Every structure is written in structure tokens, then in C-alpha cells.
Amino acid sequence: VNSDGPAGQTCPLILSCDIDTTIYCTSSLSYLDLGEPEWQKDPCCVNQVAWANWNDSYSGSCPTILTRTWTAYDAVANSESCVQIITIIDTVPPTLIGVPNDTTVHYLAVPLPANVTANDECSGPLPVGFNEQQIPTNDPKVYTLIRTWDATDPCGASTSDSQTINVADLNASVQLKAILEGPAASGGMSSNFTGSGNLPGTDPYGLGYVASPGILSASGSHAAVDWVKVELRNPTSPKLIVETIAAILRSDGSVVDMNGSSLLSFPNSPSGMYFVVIDHYNHLGVMTATALDLSTAPYIDYSDPTTPVYTSNDDAMKNINGVTMLWMGDTNGDNEIKYTGANNDRDAILVRIGGASVTATVGGYHPEDSSLDGIVKYVGSGNDRDPILVNLGGSVTGIRQAQLP
């Protein structure tokens, strides 16, 4: 028999208790992980460990000292004890939760500070400090906000994180392309008003926009076709018009501002989500199918049949040879095309030419000229009456309404 002493001797119940250790606060406190004393197991000893237990007591903080007292008992209740010292440390700083990413916002849409929380692996939830620094510029609408959150755990480990908000006079903006059915031609649209000098320098919608002379005198693909209006609508209630601007529609379908820029900016609307409408005084307006993020100045091509529009492309726009365009014929501007009945569009043409003779014509810039060729005609080649009936499918009692909420 192998033994540590002669047979029949009385031996210590605990041979060794040298198991002091240092652990992190989230570590296991189980004796299976932290160890236990070396018990007497020599079969030659008359006293053997019958059972053992431990008692834990804590003291201090940062670090916390766990004193684990082990006690071993033999069969006749004799006991021996030893102490294991476990040092519990917290060296990892707390974590901040909910700090927003850096962003750029319109000066009218500066967000409130985020509700940031802090959690520490050892101490749990902690209070969060907050500080905001504003760095101004010469423009009161343009500045930088630096928002900083911080937290410190009971052991002094701290963390902080910041969000930088660039506040700018940043407006919603968009790039558009559209084709009007009236002046539609191969490769774009005719620009008859430009050649005749009939296109007014001020928008016909009463918005007070004035085009620069160079925009109205341009030729070729940049020739001005007519004025259009562009609306932003509320992203959750698209019946609500947020802002309307006037713009110039060019022969190639591009829509530009008063200086010829294709980037249409809305001066009173911060960047964000909006439905976008393009409309014309004698064509039916059309709206995007969903609200779009105008912080990135998206390009919307209404002439592309794959561009989703409100309701359906078949109802909202006319498709001619794979090109979608705004329906012509709304000569009285009430957002519907009618051939007969109250407020129909055919009578408006007759009134414009005087009503006495159906063969009369009137030149100039008039809403009854839905072909935009500079001549209001009731009968004859290129007249403005027939397209109304065509766009109603030949039904004199039909009505086609603009697909706008």
C-alpha cells in the first residue's frame, strides 16, 4: 500500500489550501473553476475526510475580496479549516448604448439628444453624463454640434462616445426627367414656344419664379419647352403639399431650376422623405409611388415605364412606344380630362378661339394649347380638341383623372 505515513496514524484532513486567485467580475465562482483544497486521501490514515463545505464572505470594492473558508470533517466530527482568497477585479469600462452615428441635418430639423444608456458588466446600469458643444460659423444656420455621453463604473473605469452633427442650410433636392404628351417628338419634345418667343419669363403658376434669360434662349436638347411645377408631399399623408416650386422643362426631358441646374432644391423643406409630384397646367400630374429620401438628390425618370408611380403607370401616364408621358388635354387645369359635361376641356378651347367660328385659331401662350405648338385650334390638323377624345378612349362621356391623392 502506498501511503504518506505509517499505517494507523492520525493525519491532517487538509493537506494544502494554496489556491488563492484573481478573477474578473463575470468569471465563475464555482469551486469547479476556482479549485478546492487538497484533501487527505491516504488510506493508511485512521482519520479520513468524511465531508466538507465552504463559507463565503465579501469585503471591499475595487477590488472585492472574496474570503472562502473551507472546512473538512472526519467521521467523528473533527474538523480542520483553511482560507482561500479570491480577488475579484473590474478593469473593463462600461458600455454606452444608443449613441447615434454622425449626421448632417437641415437647420430646421436638428434632432433632440438621443436617450443613451450605460451598462457595466460588473455593476449593471449606470448613470450617463451628457455634454453638448456648439461650434459656430459666420452663418447662424450653419454650425457643428458635438454631443458627448460618458459613464464611469464604481471602480473608476470610464468610457465616452460622441456624435458630430453638421447643421447646414441643407434642403430637400431632386433631379427629374419627364415628357409631356402634347409636344412629344422623337427623342424628346418640341420647343415651339422658344422659337416663337411666347414662353413667358415668369412662371404661369403664380409662384413668382423668374427664369434667367439664358435658360429661355437655349437651343437644341436644352431648349425650353415650358414651365412645370414640382411638389413635395407629406410622406405619411400624400394629400398634403409641403412645398411647390416652378421649373423649366427642356426638350430632352430634363427639368432645371432658374439658373439651368438639374438639381432642384426646395428652399423651405429640410432633406428627408417625400412624395414627388411633377405637374403641368394642361397635362395631368404624376406622383412617385412611395416617399423617397431627398437627402441624396435622387434621379427620377418619369419617362421610364419601370419608374414606379402612384396607383399604376397605365392609369397615371400614357405609354407611347415605351416612353411614359403626362397625359395631355386638361385645358382648364382641374386635374381631369373631360370631353362633355360641366367644366369639360373641349369647351375651353372653343371659348379661347372666340366661339363664333370653329375654324378660328389663336396664337400665343394659352392653357388651351395642350399640344404646346403656340396655336389654339378646335378643328383641323394638329387641333387641341381631338387629343382629348383620344385620351378618353373615344368615349365622349369618359373622364380621365390625374392619379394624385
Side-chain angles (χ1 to χ4, degrees), residues 174-179 230-231 255 275-278 286-289 292 299-305 307-309 313 317 323-326:
V174 68
Q175 303 172 82
L176 301 179
K177 180 179 180 181
I179 300 293
V230 183
E231 298 172 352
V255 182
F275 287 90
V276 181
V277 173
I278 186 167
V286 62
M287 185 175 78
T288 55
L292 303 176
Y299 177 73
I300 305 170
D301 184 358
Y302 289 107
S303 69
D304 184 347
T307 298
V309 295
N313 291 60
M317 305 187 74
V323 177
T324 46
M325 53 192 72
L326 278 63

Side-chain angles (χ1 to χ4, degrees), residues 56-395:
D56 288 344
S57 64
Y58 293 85
S59 63
S61 61
C62 303
T64 296
I65 302 301
L66 168 56
T67 301
R68 178 166 288 176
T69 303
W70 292 90
T71 303
Y73 301 87
D74 64 15
V76 293
N78 296 314
S79 65
E80 290 183 17
S81 297
C82 74
V83 173
Q84 177 186 16
I85 301 299
I86 302 168
T87 302
I88 303 173
I89 62 173
D90 176 6
T91 57
V92 176
T95 300
L96 292 170
I97 303 166
V99 176
N101 294 327
D102 296 345
T103 187
T104 299
V105 300
H106 191 272
Y107 70 92
L108 294 176
V110 178
L112 294 173
N115 182 24
V116 175
T117 59
N119 188 70
D120 185 70
E121 288 184 328
C122 299
S123 306
L126 295 173
V128 178
F130 175 72
N131 179 69
E132 181 175 273
Q133 177 188 8
Q134 180 171 326
I135 303 174
T137 67
N138 293 330
D139 186 343
K141 298 178 182 178
V142 179
Y143 54 92
T144 299
L145 288 177
I146 300 177
R147 291 173 171 171
T148 302
W149 294 264
D150 62 78
T152 302
D153 69 20
C155 291
S158 62
T159 188
S160 66
D161 199 358
S162 297
Q163 177 195 28
T164 298
I165 303 176
N166 295 308
V167 181
D169 192 358
L170 181 66
N171 302 313
S173 56
V174 68
Q175 303 172 82
L176 301 179
K177 180 179 180 181
I179 300 293
L180 301 177
E181 180 194 0
S186 177
M189 291 169 286
S190 301
S191 54
N192 297 297
F193 289 146
T194 300
S196 65
N198 288 327
L199 187 64
T202 302
D203 79 89
Y205 306 105
L207 299 173
Y209 282 77
V210 179
S212 63
I215 299 299
L216 301 182
S217 62
S219 59
S221 63
H222 284 181
V225 174
D226 203 358
W227 290 88
V228 293
K229 62 179 180 178
V230 183
E231 298 172 352
L232 299 187
R233 298 207 177 189
N234 186 283
T236 56
S237 300
K239 287 184 178 181
L240 300 178
I241 299 173
V242 177
E243 187 174 359
T244 304
I245 64 172
I248 295 292
L249 178 66
R250 285 176 162 171
S251 180
D252 61 1
S254 59
V255 182
V256 298
D257 67 9
M258 301 303 94
N259 297 309
S261 172
S262 61
L263 185 65
L264 304 177
S265 181
F266 293 80
N268 300 310
S269 299
S271 59
M273 303 295 292
Y274 300 94
F275 287 90
V276 181
V277 173
I278 186 167
D279 202 358
H280 181 264
Y281 55 80
N282 62 23
H283 286 64
L284 298 183
V286 62
M287 185 175 78
T288 55
T290 60
L292 303 176
D293 183 3
L294 301 195
S295 65
T296 58
Y299 177 73
I300 305 170
D301 184 358
Y302 289 107
S303 69
D304 184 347
T306 65
T307 298
V309 295
Y310 186 74
T311 63
S312 73
N313 291 60
D314 291 340
D315 291 330
M317 305 187 74
K318 187 171 185 176
N319 189 321
I320 300 179
N321 297 324
V323 177
T324 46
M325 53 192 72
L326 278 63
W327 295 95
M328 67 186 291
D330 183 17
T331 60
N332 62 12
D334 63 355
N335 288 325
E336 62 180 19
I337 300 172
K338 292 176 65 176
Y339 193 77
T340 58
N343 301 315
N344 71 74
D345 297 288
R346 176 176 58 91
D347 287 349
I349 301 170
L350 194 59
V351 171
R352 175 60 67 182
I353 64 173
S357 172
V358 296
T359 60
T361 61
V362 173
Y365 185 80
H366 302 289
E368 298 79 14
D369 175 21
S370 61
S371 65
L372 306 188
D373 62 358
I375 302 173
V376 181
K377 296 177 67 175
Y378 190 78
V379 296
S381 176
N383 71 72
D384 298 291
R385 175 178 57 90
D386 286 348
I388 297 173
L389 193 58
V390 170
N391 281 346
L392 296 175
S395 171

Side-chain angles (χ1 to χ4, degrees), residues 4 11-17 37-42 80:
D4 293 328
C11 304
L13 296 176
I14 300 175
L15 298 180
S16 173
C17 202
E38 182 182 358
W39 312 114
Q40 177 59 258
K41 298 179 181 178
D42 191 337
E80 290 183 17

